[in-house]
Amino acid sequence: MNQETYSSIWDAIEDTPAEAENMKLRAKLMTALEQHIVSKGWTQAEAARQLGVTQPRISDLKRGKIDLFALDGLVTMAVAAGLTVEMNVTEAA
């Protein structure tokens, strides 16, 4: 049996490298937002007010429902939270 190794779970389960990269970025943004909400001590209702979304949207974020979020929406939420989003683009190995 041939075992393949992957640098991330997204590389293993997504159909294309582009889809895997998109999922990695979404996961990073969602994690950063969740950590920020926790560090601020915000309830879901307070986080929703601060980020300009609904409380169920924050619940989706906290539950890791990555398929419900697009990159642009996550960037908008991060900026509303007072975070700065930076991107690093490098040549693939």
Side-chain angles (χ1 to χ4, degrees):
M1 180 182 273
N2 184 12
Q3 287 188 331
E4 294 185 53
T5 58
Y6 301 93
S7 61
S8 93
I9 186 66
W10 301 115
D11 293 322
I13 65 174
E14 291 300 326
D15 293 332
T16 68
E19 290 171 351
E21 287 301 314
N22 188 288
M23 294 302 279
K24 288 177 203 176
L25 291 170
R26 286 195 272 170
K28 285 181 183 179
L29 279 166
M30 289 178 73
T31 299
L33 282 163
E34 169 63 19
Q35 290 173 348
H36 186 73
I37 290 166
V38 169
S39 75
K40 293 290 189 181
W42 291 340
T43 63
Q44 286 189 13
E46 178 62 18
R49 279 191 298 277
Q50 294 291 332
L51 303 183
V53 297
T54 63
Q55 182 277 324
R57 196 76 172 133
I58 299 299
S59 179
D60 290 339
L61 178 82
K62 292 176 102 27
R63 291 175 188 252
K65 294 188 176 185
I66 196 168
D67 56 312
L68 299 180
F69 292 89
L71 278 174
D72 60 337
L74 290 166
V75 169
T76 299
M77 290 171 67
V79 171
L83 301 174
T84 299
V85 178
E86 296 181 5
M87 185 171 60
N88 184 22
V89 179
T90 59
E91 205 169 316

